[in-house]
Amino acid sequence: MNNSVGNTARLIGAGLRALLVLTVICGVLYPLAVTGVAQALFNDKANGSEVKADGKVVGSELIGQRYDLPLKKGQETAEPDLKWFQPRPSNGLGENSVNTQYKLLLSGATNLSGANKDLIQQVKDAKAAVVKDNSTADHKVSPSDVPADAVTSSGSGLDPHISPDYADLQVHRVAAENHLDAERVQELVDEHTDGRALGFIGEPRVNVLQLNIALKELTDKG
């Protein structure tokens, strides 16, 4: 009986010691080591790939954001602010309905098939809007000029990039809205076009946030 109690006590003691040691290693030392390495070697990425302008954080280079006008009375959807380069549509985004203490956006896709009537209509409406918004007095956009990413949302709805074709399509409108020379705005797009990773992975792309920051700097200069 005494041996049984003693063995049990030793097992409990060993278990508690193992719990304490593993808690310190896995719950304290390991997180501190990983955090330290991340901050030392990958500081920018570890902190969310923040993008700063005028000394303030204005977003992340990994998360897309909208550039819209304030909602007018009776409007459910804000109109795009045509002074800025516009991102891809974000039709898959939803609203948090579980914890309503916070106003959150939920990322996601529409999950509509290519033959879905609602998706087809969304694409048609988006294409018509892109043609209308980006046509200026001296530059008319043809429906055939509209690239796919201008009318379809990404899998997350938060893609921070657009294709160079979509950025190029917006140049004349942005130049006209900001009273800038179209050639200078085109140079901005070219300067902010990233090529394929390692020269062959993925597609060329333009980060909309970084492009709009450069556009603001250009307009501030007059």
Side-chain angles (χ1 to χ4, degrees):
M1 181 69 178
N2 290 336
N3 287 338
S4 178
V5 172
N7 289 337
T8 301
R10 282 193 297 274
L11 289 174
I12 292 174
L16 291 174
R17 289 192 297 273
L19 175 63
L20 178 60
V21 170
L22 291 173
T23 299
V24 171
I25 293 174
C26 298
V28 179
L29 298 180
Y30 177 73
L32 286 176
V34 171
T35 301
V37 171
Q39 290 295 329
L41 301 180
F42 312 102
N43 182 266
D44 177 60
K45 293 180 173 59
N47 290 314
S49 299
E50 296 173 339
V51 176
K52 294 183 178 180
D54 299 325
K56 299 182 295 184
V57 175
V58 295
S60 168
E61 65 179 27
L62 303 177
I63 300 176
Q65 53 184 279
R66 301 289 310 169
Y67 299 88
D68 294 329
L69 295 169
L71 275 173
K72 298 177 182 177
K73 188 175 181 180
Q75 277 187 328
E76 292 185 2
T77 304
E79 297 176 357
D81 189 343
L82 299 181
K83 293 189 304 181
W84 305 104
F85 284 92
Q86 293 296 316
R88 296 182 65 172
S90 50
N91 298 327
L93 295 184
E95 293 185 358
N96 171 42
S97 59
V98 178
N99 186 350
T100 55
Q101 180 181 356
Y102 303 101
K103 185 173 178 60
L104 303 174
L105 286 177
L106 307 180
S107 68
T110 61
N111 289 331
L112 300 177
S113 72
N116 185 278
K117 293 181 179 180
D118 291 338
L119 178 61
I120 293 172
Q121 190 59 51
Q122 285 177 12
V123 170
K124 288 181 178 179
D125 293 343
K127 178 175 283 192
V130 169
V131 170
K132 176 178 176 293
D133 290 344
N134 290 282
S135 293
T136 64
D138 57 356
H139 179 78
K140 300 300 180 184
V141 174
S142 168
S144 61
D145 296 331
V146 180
D149 62 307
V151 296
T152 56
S153 57
S154 65
S156 67
L158 297 172
D159 193 342
H161 299 101
I162 56 176
S163 67
D165 288 341
Y166 187 26
D168 292 344
L169 183 144
Q170 301 183 60
V171 163
H172 286 83
R173 182 254 301 162
V174 170
E177 291 286 335
N178 291 284
H179 308 291
L180 297 170
D181 183 71
E183 290 185 3
R184 182 66 191 97
V185 177
Q186 182 64 60
E187 289 177 5
L188 274 188
V189 172
D190 295 340
E191 291 167 3
H192 289 81
T193 298
D194 298 321
R196 293 179 172 88
L198 301 178
F200 66 95
I201 299 175
E203 295 294 331
R205 61 206 180 279
V206 179
N207 188 287
V208 181
L209 174 57
Q210 293 176 339
L211 178 58
N212 278 331
I213 290 173
L215 174 63
K216 182 178 184 301
E217 292 174 352
L218 182 62
T219 56
D220 287 346
K221 292 178 181 176

